[in-house]
Amino acid sequence: MFRFVTLTLIPLLMAGLSLPAMAAPPEINMTTTFASLMLVVMLILVLAVVVKKMRLPNLQGDSSLKVIKQIPVGQKERIVLVQVGDEQLLVGVTQHNISLLNKLDTPLAEPEMERPDFASQLGKLLKNDMNKQ
C-alpha cells in the first residue's frame, strides 16, 4: 500500500496536479423525505387493519374453555358445543346473540383433532363437487 502511494501520489503532487475534490453530499429533498415517511405510516396502518380483520385465534392455549364442535345452521348462525371445565354446553350463536340451548348431563367424547393436509382436503372438496354434478 505504501509503495502504491509513493509511486502514484507523490509524483502527482510534485507535478502540481491536484487530486479530485471530494463530492459534496447530496441535497436532502424535504418533499421526498416527507412522502416516504407518510408511505411508511400508511403501510403500518393498513397492516394493523388487516391483522385486526384476520381475527387471529387466542395463542395462549387456555384449556379450560374449548370449542369442541360447531355446526352452521344459517349464513351467520351456528350451534356450538363448548367444553367449560368438566361441563359441556350447547350454545346457539347468531350475529347479535349468544344463547344457551342446553347443558349436557353426559359429556360427549371429544373427537380426535387431526388436521388433514391441504392436498387431501382439496381432493375431498373436488370429489364432493364432482358428485353433485
Side-chain angles (χ1 to χ4, degrees):
M1 177 76 178
F2 181 72
R3 189 167 196 204
F4 172 76
V5 171
T6 55
L7 292 176
T8 54
L9 293 180
I10 292 178
L12 287 174
L13 290 175
M14 294 189 74
L17 299 174
S18 63
L19 294 174
M22 296 198 55
E27 288 186 30
I28 298 175
N29 187 346
M30 292 303 286
T31 306
T32 306
T33 304
F34 184 72
S36 299
L37 178 63
M38 286 290 105
L39 180 68
V40 170
V41 169
M42 292 300 291
L43 181 66
I44 290 171
L45 292 174
V46 166
L47 288 175
V49 169
V50 168
V51 168
K52 187 175 180 181
K53 292 284 184 186
M54 286 175 56
R55 296 183 183 180
L56 296 174
N58 188 3
L59 299 176
Q60 297 168 350
D62 187 13
S63 62
S64 63
L65 182 65
K66 284 192 252 181
V67 173
I68 298 198
K69 183 101 173 150
Q70 53 183 327
I71 302 170
V73 291
Q75 256 187 338
K76 296 185 179 182
E77 298 84 18
R78 60 187 186 270
I79 296 174
V80 181
L81 180 62
V82 180
Q83 176 84 32
V84 182
D86 296 334
E87 298 178 338
Q88 287 185 350
L89 306 173
L90 198 59
V91 179
V93 179
T94 66
Q95 187 174 4
H96 300 290
N97 193 14
I98 300 174
S99 321
L100 176 65
L101 300 177
N102 194 6
K103 179 180 172 185
L104 300 180
D105 295 329
T106 57
L108 300 175
E110 249 183 83
E112 292 290 325
M113 291 294 188
E114 62 182 57
R115 294 201 177 246
D117 61 338
F118 177 76
S120 64
Q121 285 182 347
L122 183 62
K124 192 183 298 184
L125 286 173
L126 290 175
K127 185 185 289 185
N128 288 342
D129 191 40
M130 295 301 257
N131 291 337
K132 289 179 183 178
Q133 293 178 358

